[in-house]
Amino acid sequence: MKRADCLFFVLAAVLITAAVHLATPEHATADPKGGASPPARSRAQAEPERVAGGKAVVAPATSRAAPARPAAPARSVGLAAPDKKELAQEIVSSAENSTLKWHEAYGYIEDIGDGQGYTAGLVGFCTGTHDLLTLVERYTEAHPDNGLARYLPALREVDGTDSHEGLDPGFPAAWRHEAGLTAFREAQDSERDRVYFDPAVRLAKLDGLGTLGQFIYYDAMVLHGPGTGDHGFHGLRERALRETDPPSEGGDEKSYLGAFLDIRRAAMKSEDPDRDTTRVDTAQRRFLDEGNLGLRTPLEWKVYGETYRVP
């Protein structure tokens, strides 16, 4: 053939092949593995959300060439789940404020005679243990004209002591007044989470603990503070880890938590032999003995001889 005729037939073959390809519905998107995929869908067109393990997940679009594998169950968020976090605040409040109505505790302030000065707010911030001072300092950075700012020099002076010098008689009234403001309530929430709740939950998960274990860590963090000494939370945890393997290292969860509670109770009694330990003995220990590692409701417990129930 002449060169021109040859080129003509080659071109005709290419055009015919292209026409057949364009007539095929699957031509739109090529699958990387060689199969054909449907046209991509927008996020709004994705399959509906489905709930797995209490957490909503978006089902991904599937390929025609390779059916999607069943989605793995979402991991439980434990104590950080909104309902469990609410429950945690109620249980802590039963010990800190003798009520389940923890939202009413923002304005609480009292010297309970434990050598830590004024105890105030949601989780018992104390003038003698630095956390109340930090709360007011951070709040003042965001709201310089607040009613507690003028007490900062006195709070710095009494930090680490049980003294009220420079705080009486006006500081308790100023605290209660400020607690009526949304900004100060939010500041207490934020400081509770930053110093106590979030670190406790993170470390409990690191140790392989479920929801009850996360709460036990949280309550210990609130009462003992995040210190590394013998009576601080981190010191108590280190002793428990030396004594018993946590679930993350193959240990039994119930045995590990029992050891942690034993160590914690002993630390409380070493500070004061007459100290009430019912927040451990007839609350957390009760949940543990019942095998309620998920901190499931209904719950019933006692603190300071008073019975509390959550349906």
Side-chain angles (χ1 to χ4, degrees), residues 17-263:
T17 301
V20 171
H21 177 69
L22 291 171
T24 304
E26 288 83 4
H27 80 278
T29 306
D31 184 84
K33 296 182 180 180
S37 298
R41 291 183 293 176
S42 69
R43 184 181 297 272
Q45 293 172 315
E47 294 179 22
E49 287 188 339
R50 64 175 179 267
V51 175
K55 184 178 180 179
V57 293
V58 177
T62 60
S63 167
R64 294 182 187 175
R69 297 176 180 178
R75 295 183 64 184
S76 170
V77 293
L79 201 68
D83 59 332
K84 295 301 184 185
K85 187 172 184 179
E86 175 74 16
L87 178 61
Q89 308 319 314
E90 291 177 335
I91 302 173
V92 168
S93 183
S94 71
E96 292 290 327
N97 308 108
S98 297
T99 178
L100 297 182
K101 299 177 181 179
W102 67 272
H103 295 90
E104 298 178 357
Y106 291 104
Y108 166 79
I109 182 166
E110 180 183 9
D111 187 329
I112 61 176
D114 61 353
Q116 298 177 349
Y118 280 119
T119 297
L122 284 182
V123 290
F125 301 103
C126 295
T127 56
T129 58
H130 196 67
D131 56 349
L132 190 147
L133 170 60
T134 301
L135 166 64
V136 176
E137 285 179 334
R138 291 170 65 89
Y139 178 57
T140 301
E141 288 177 4
H143 305 278
D145 297 328
N146 73 82
L148 300 175
R150 66 180 181 272
Y151 291 100
L152 277 173
L155 288 171
R156 295 186 181 108
E157 286 295 321
V158 303
D159 189 28
T161 76
D162 62 354
S163 174
H164 294 186
E165 187 174 354
L167 299 177
D168 289 340
F171 182 70
W175 178 279
R176 285 189 287 266
H177 178 270
E178 205 69 22
L181 303 179
T182 299
F184 188 52
R185 295 195 297 271
E186 290 176 346
Q188 289 193 45
D189 290 339
S190 177
E191 200 67 3
R192 172 202 62 201
D193 291 349
R194 185 184 73 87
V195 178
Y196 301 109
F197 188 84
D198 293 344
V201 171
R202 178 179 60 81
L203 288 171
K205 288 184 175 181
L206 186 67
D207 292 341
L209 302 177
T211 306
L212 174 60
Q214 293 166 33
F215 173 76
I216 287 174
Y217 271 24
Y218 171 49
D219 187 71
M221 187 80 83
V222 168
L223 183 66
H224 299 276
T228 58
D230 290 343
H231 295 160
F233 169 80
H234 292 290
L236 299 177
R237 174 175 173 260
E238 285 301 317
R239 288 165 59 192
L241 291 173
R242 288 195 300 267
E243 182 172 312
T244 308
D245 287 339
S248 61
E249 297 180 11
D252 178 72
E253 184 171 8
K254 192 171 181 180
S255 297
Y256 173 78
L257 290 175
F260 181 85
L261 290 179
D262 287 343
I263 291 169

Side-chain angles (χ1 to χ4, degrees), residues 268-287:
M268 294 169 70
K269 287 294 188 181
S270 70
E271 294 175 326
D272 179 1
D274 297 324
R275 186 168 187 175
D276 188 297
T277 58
T278 52
R279 69 193 295 159
V280 170
D281 303 335
T282 53
Q284 295 164 55
R285 180 77 68 178
R286 176 172 180 170
F287 305 151

